């Protein structure tokens, strides 16, 4: 910048008196309000011949230059002075750098209402200009990053179409000029999210995990099933007994979620869970009180101890609601920016809908509460007591006295009180020798006249598996199942 007449123009600053730059760090300039005729030779404009809007007659660069830029690493300079680290190496930053080898009329940035569009790695998205001329024949827009899954060997300019295998991790935050940001203590500003992982080649990036979408730990990104699918669990709502200093608060909104055929109601349980070695662990719960939002605290695991006390950094949070009236559990899909646990944060979660694929319930057909629609056993199966059905009735009760035949001391005689005076295992209702001597017993024992079936037909013998009525000479009738 050569200032022949400093009264003709001035730096442009913002309301905080900070100087304003264009995308490649050139100062923005403007004419002064009291510029005189002496300024007639001063023409503000773009003086860089590499810019798309180079102005041949401009004498002072006013920062209005528009460049076709590419994102790359470059040596950082301040006030035109190269910067070096403590070891004497150039300070390298990642950001937009003008590319003078590309004709400006060949392509444009892609915009939406918020401005220039970028891909997940922060690379500008570009497109050809429809009326580009023959000078653009050598320009091939495509993915030029060899670490990307769709690397295009013949591409000459990266158009932001690169697709990367990403991992969730902490990364340092840079400003729009590619300069790293630091907090007031001098520590790098870090954020957690997806970043490209150049160490993994796409053709070899088999992602191991559970590929069964019915499983509790289904991983939609997994390409190789590693046998870790959890198709059976024990859903137990428990409060957390161990507290650490790593606690996050979740504000939960229900948005009238439907459980089965009814809306969530007061008394239903809203719980958070996580998987530890394939076992479902309760991370706490709250009782829904009917309000629009409820608050639940998630305790994080202290990485400095061997014991696992709670959610680990980056661990998936599983949301389950139990309907109090039916005791049926529902796996819930949520809408949130915090699907995985991050310690010491406050998050918002919307319980959106019941998961339509993984259906919790009892999958044992012999259980009283068998759910034919369930594909994920949640440990809720309930079984009848021995000799009883699921309604509490005897499976076998010949004399209809509500005492099951298997334990009835008089199977054919109604005796609900099971009185047995002589404690010989035969109830008084059918024990004919109670209080009678042997001689008397022989003289008073009733004589069988005949046996008949349910149709009244006389039978000569009682075959196995049939029901007959025994008629005695004293008028007594016995129903016997052999």
């Amino acid at each position: 910048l050569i200032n022949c007449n400093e009264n003709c123009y001035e730096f442009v600053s913002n309301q905080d008196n900070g100087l304003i730059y264009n995308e490649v760090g050139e100062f923005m300039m403007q004419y002064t309000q009291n510029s005189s005729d002496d300024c007639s030779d001063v023409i503000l404009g773009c003086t860089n011949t590499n810019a798309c809007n180079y102005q041949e007659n401009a004498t002072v660069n006013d920062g209005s230059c528009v460049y076709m830029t590419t994102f790359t690493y470059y040596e950082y300079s301040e006030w035109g002075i190269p910067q070096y680290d403590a070891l004497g190496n150039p300070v390298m930053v990642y950001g937009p750098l003008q590319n003078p080898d590309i004709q400006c009329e060949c392509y444009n940035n892609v915009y939406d209402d918020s401005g220039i569009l970028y891909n997940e790695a922060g690379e500008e998205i570009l497109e050809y200009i429809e009326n580009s001329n023959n000078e653009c024949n050598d320009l091939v827009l495509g993915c030029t990053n060899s670490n990307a899954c769709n690397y295009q060997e013949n591409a000459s300019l990266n158009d932001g179409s690169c697709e990367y295998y990403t991992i969730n991790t902490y990364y340092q935050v840079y400003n729009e000029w590619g300069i790293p940001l630091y907090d007031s203590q001098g520590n790098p500003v870090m954020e957690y999210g997806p970043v490209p992982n150049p160490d993994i080649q796409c053709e070899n990036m088999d992602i191991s995990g559970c590929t069964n979408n019915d499983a509790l730990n289904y991983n939609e990104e997994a390409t190789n099933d590693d046998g870790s699918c959890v198709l059976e669990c024990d859903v137990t709502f428990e409060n957390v007994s161990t507290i650490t200093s790593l606690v996050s608060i979740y504000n939960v909104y229900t948005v009238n979620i439907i459980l089965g055929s009814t809306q969530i109601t007061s008394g239903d349980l809203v719980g958070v869970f996580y998987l530890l070695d394939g076992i479902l662990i309760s991370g706490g719960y709250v009782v829904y009180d009917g309000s629009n939002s409820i608050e639940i605290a998630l305790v994080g695991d202290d990485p400095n101890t061997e014991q696992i006390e709670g959610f680990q950094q980056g661990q998936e949070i599983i949301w389950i609601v139990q309907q109090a009236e039916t005791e049926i559990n529902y796996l819930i899909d949520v809408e949130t920016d915090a699907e995985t646990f991050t310690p010491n944060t406050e998050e918002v979660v919307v319980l959106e809908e019941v998961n339509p694929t993984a259906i919790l319930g009892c999958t044992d057909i012999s259980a009283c509460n068998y759910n034919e629609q369930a594909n994920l056993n949640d440990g809720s199966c309930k079984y009848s007591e021995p000799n009883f059905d699921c309604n509490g009735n005897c499976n076998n009760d010949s004399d209809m006295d509500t005492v099951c035949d298997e334990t009835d001391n008089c199977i054919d005689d109604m005796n609900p009180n099971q009185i047995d005076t002589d404690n010989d295992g035969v109830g008084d209702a059918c024990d004919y020798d109670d209080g009678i001597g042997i001689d008397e017993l022989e003289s008073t024992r009733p004589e069988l006249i005949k046996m008949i079936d349910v149709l009244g037909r006389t039978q000569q013998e009682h075959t196995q598996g049939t029901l007959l009525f025994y008629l005695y000479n004293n008028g007594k009738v016995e129903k016997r199942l052999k």
Side-chain angles (χ1 to χ4, degrees), residues 7 98 174 199 210 227 233 241 266 326 340 361 371 375 378 403 437:
N7 294 320
Q98 66 184 72
Y174 291 78
D199 297 327
C210 174
C233 60
S241 58
S266 296
T326 63
T340 59
N371 182 353
N375 52 26
D378 63 357
V403 180

Side-chain angles (χ1 to χ4, degrees), residues 288-360:
Y288 180 61
D289 60 4
S291 58
N292 184 44
S293 66
I294 54 178
E295 185 178 281
I296 184 170
L298 274 63
V299 176
D301 172 56
D302 184 349
N304 298 316
T305 63
E306 294 184 2
Q307 180 184 359
I308 303 298
E309 302 96 346
F311 289 89
Q312 300 176 63
Q313 172 72 51
Q315 189 168 36
E316 180 186 5
I317 303 169
I318 300 172
W319 295 85
I320 298 177
V321 174
Q322 184 179 93
Q323 198 171 43
E325 182 179 358
T326 63
E327 296 186 351
I328 295 177
N329 298 313
Y330 295 91
L331 184 64
I332 305 299
D333 288 338
V334 299
E335 183 178 339
T336 179
D337 292 331
E339 293 183 355
T340 59
F341 178 76
T342 301
N344 299 326
T345 59
E346 185 168 351
E347 309 290 352
V348 173
V349 174
V350 177
L351 303 184
E352 195 170 28
E353 64 177 353
V354 173
N355 187 298
T357 304
I359 302 175
L360 296 171

Side-chain angles (χ1 to χ4, degrees), residues 21 73 112 142 147 192 207 236 247 342 443 463:
Y21 307 83
Y73 283 96
D112 65 5
N147 291 318
Y192 186 83
I207 302 174
T236 304
V247 178
T342 301
S443 63
T463 57

Side-chain angles (χ1 to χ4, degrees), residues 413 426-436 441 444-446 472 474 476 478 480:
D413 296 283
V426 180
D428 289 358
C430 60
D431 192 353
Y432 301 111
D433 65 350
D434 279 355
I436 303 176
L441 179 61
T444 59
R445 185 182 298 277
Y472 296 92
N474 64 354
K476 181 177 178 63
E478 285 184 347
R480 291 193 178 185

Side-chain angles (χ1 to χ4, degrees), residues 3 24 32 86 135 238 249 253 272 285 309 313 321 331 345 359 422 442 475:
N3 187 352
V24 293
T32 57
E135 295 180 0
E238 295 178 335
I249 302 299
Y253 292 84
V272 289
Y285 72 95
E309 302 96 346
Q313 172 72 51
V321 174
L331 184 64
T345 59
I359 302 175
D422 59 1
E442 290 178 351

